[in-house]
Amino acid sequence: MSSRPRLAVVAAARPNFMKVAPVMQALKAWIDLDLIHTGQHYDRAMSSAFFEELDLFEPDVNLGVGSGSHAVQTAGVMVALEKRLTEVPVDALLVVGDVNSTLASALTAAKMGIPVAHVEAGLRSRDWSMPEEINRVLTDRLSTWLFTPSSDADANLVAEGIPLGQIHLVGNVMIDTLLAHLPRARRRAEALQASLGLEADYALLTLHRPSNVDDRSTLSEMMEAISQVSKRLPVVFPMHPRTETRMRELDIRLPDRVLRAEPFGYTDFLALMQQARLVLTDSGGIQEETSVLGVPCVTLRDSTERPITCTLGTNIVAGTRAEDIVAASLVAIDKSWEPADIPLWDGRASERVAAVLVDSLLGANQQLKEMKMAGEVV
């Protein structure tokens, strides 16, 4: 049996995979890793294909939670994860982001006395109608190590009373993955655009949040805005399975100059994004990625938990009304943008996460071994 400390790493949804991949690579030489896939995203294009493409370890277990209401999904993760952690004890548990599995895993570990590390801590939208905001705040309260992507996240945590010794400004681990895969994406771009019949200039759209796609009036506003934008630029729309289902149920049709596509793998999506003239999205991570790439981004939400992408990056938060989205899109298209220079978004955030955890866990592990040798614990 290994004498090294053991860390459970939880991945659940598509953005999680880009975050855990570089962290696990940075940790694997020092710490035994148990990769737990909760199964929150269970469509292959949204999940297992990412493990293959990112050279990520195969999950040690898939909890198979699947879809459901917030309560059903959260409870399902907690029940299944408690069983796993009982069968395979660990010294700590690492979660990323702000999905339901993130909170459920942190809560389960905390109840079991297992310390929690939260990567991407401290982000706040101040919008309590967002389920993700609840997940973020509660996960941070439960965590021992809070790894933040930017100084504004540090300030949020300090204002909430988190001790400074628990806060570690490391940078953005998702950007580690982006920078590592960008050369391959650039080589792929021309052939991919040709296969889609794209001209030099186009817009890229992603849309998946329940608050945007579950309500007929909101989704209709979105499609009206996209219809107007498409008169200026053709729009590529890799459609999330949830969005496709809702559009069919609500009988909402795509505008004529919108090219519907299946969800892309990570490299193909990055290839399209880095060449796009405009990105429209309700995703959090894409706001960050476009800022680093210098691609204008219009966020289809009323708030963002990543304000640094607006102050230092290329992001405009437009809301959900068609006229506001169109106005922001025209500004974004016509303005000249440069890649953002955000401190510590340099491709080495995962190394900084690993340095803290290795120091903490190896130190604690050695102390425990010495106590066992002295007969102080059994």
Side-chain angles (χ1 to χ4, degrees):
M1 180 178 292
S2 173
S3 62
R4 304 197 313 175
R6 189 171 188 83
L7 176 71
V9 178
V10 177
R14 182 177 172 124
N16 291 175
F17 308 145
M18 288 95 84
K19 297 167 189 174
V20 301
V23 173
M24 293 184 71
Q25 290 292 339
L27 285 168
K28 67 180 183 180
W30 305 96
I31 293 173
D32 290 335
L33 302 170
D34 187 34
L35 180 56
I36 300 172
H37 184 1
T38 69
Q40 181 173 326
H41 275 178
Y42 49 91
D43 182 275
R44 185 182 186 280
M46 305 300 290
S47 178
S48 61
F50 264 52
F51 281 86
E52 299 163 9
E53 191 171 5
L54 298 175
D55 298 322
L56 188 58
F57 307 88
E58 281 295 314
D60 294 283
V61 64
N62 188 323
L63 302 182
V65 172
S67 63
S69 69
H70 291 287
V72 167
Q73 204 168 62
T74 302
V77 171
M78 292 183 69
V79 170
L81 182 61
E82 182 183 51
K83 182 175 185 294
R84 174 66 180 185
L85 295 177
T86 300
E87 295 172 348
V88 184
V90 297
D91 297 291
L93 179 139
L94 183 143
V95 294
V96 296
D98 54 22
V99 297
N100 288 335
S101 292
T102 301
L103 174 58
S105 300
L107 184 56
T108 302
K111 291 278 189 177
M112 297 178 72
I114 300 169
V116 176
H118 185 201
V119 173
E120 206 176 67
L123 298 181
R124 299 291 183 267
S125 68
R126 311 291 192 272
D127 181 359
W128 284 93
S129 69
M130 293 180 65
E132 295 88 350
E133 184 76 354
I134 298 168
N135 294 343
R136 293 179 203 114
V137 172
L138 295 182
T139 299
D140 285 342
R141 297 303 300 184
L142 295 167
S143 297
T144 298
W145 301 277
L146 296 102
F147 296 107
T148 60
S150 50
S151 58
D152 58 304
D154 286 29
N156 291 334
L157 294 173
V158 170
E160 293 171 10
I162 301 295
L164 281 172
Q166 293 179 226
I167 303 170
H168 305 276
L169 177 58
V170 295
N172 193 327
V173 298
M174 183 178 283
I175 302 307
D176 294 8
T177 297
L178 182 148
L179 294 177
H181 287 78
L182 188 56
R184 183 166 57 178
R186 284 175 170 156
R187 291 193 297 270
R188 173 76 178 129
E190 185 175 350
L192 180 60
Q193 291 172 40
S195 71
L196 294 170
L198 292 173
E199 302 294 334
D201 286 338
Y202 58 89
L204 182 61
L205 168 67
T206 77
L207 194 63
H208 74 282
R209 289 186 179 271
S211 58
N212 280 341
V213 304
D214 287 358
D215 180 78
R216 177 186 293 273
S217 62
T218 301
L219 189 54
S220 295
E221 286 275 322
M222 298 280 179
M223 288 302 109
E224 173 58 30
I226 300 308
S227 178
Q228 294 298 317
V229 172
S230 71
K231 295 176 181 178
R232 179 76 179 268
L233 294 171
V235 178
V236 182
F237 186 12
M239 198 177 294
H240 191 286
R242 180 190 185 95
T243 307
E244 183 173 30
T245 298
R246 294 296 180 266
M247 290 189 70
R248 185 172 59 250
E249 291 172 348
L250 298 172
D251 194 26
I252 295 176
R253 300 183 62 182
L254 282 178
D256 290 339
R257 276 172 53 86
V258 175
L259 173 61
R260 182 210 175 279
E262 295 297 322
F264 293 106
Y266 178 72
T267 303
D268 281 355
F269 185 81
L270 179 55
L272 287 173
M273 181 166 59
Q274 57 93 25
Q275 288 285 86
R277 187 68 189 86
L278 172 69
V279 172
L280 302 107
T281 187
D282 58 4
S283 162
I286 289 175
Q287 298 170 49
E288 298 171 328
E289 292 171 324
T290 49
S291 287
V292 170
L293 294 169
V295 175
C297 175
V298 171
T299 296
L300 310 178
R301 289 161 44 187
D302 293 318
S303 61
T304 180
E305 64 282 2
R306 294 161 170 85
I308 198 167
T309 63
C310 299
T311 57
L312 296 182
T314 64
N315 186 29
I316 301 171
V317 178
T320 59
R321 296 172 63 239
E323 61 184 280
D324 295 332
I325 295 169
V326 173
S329 298
L330 295 178
V331 168
I333 292 170
D334 292 333
K335 182 179 175 181
S336 177
W337 300 90
E338 295 293 331
D341 183 17
I342 300 175
L344 301 182
W345 291 26
D346 57 0
R348 302 189 65 182
S350 298
E351 297 174 24
R352 291 184 277 268
V353 171
V356 172
L357 290 177
V358 167
D359 182 64
S360 298
L361 294 177
L362 283 179
N365 202 47
Q366 181 61 34
Q367 183 181 27
L368 180 60
K369 285 171 62 179
E370 291 173 357
M371 292 172 68
K372 285 182 177 180
M373 291 175 64
E376 297 176 28
V377 296
V378 295

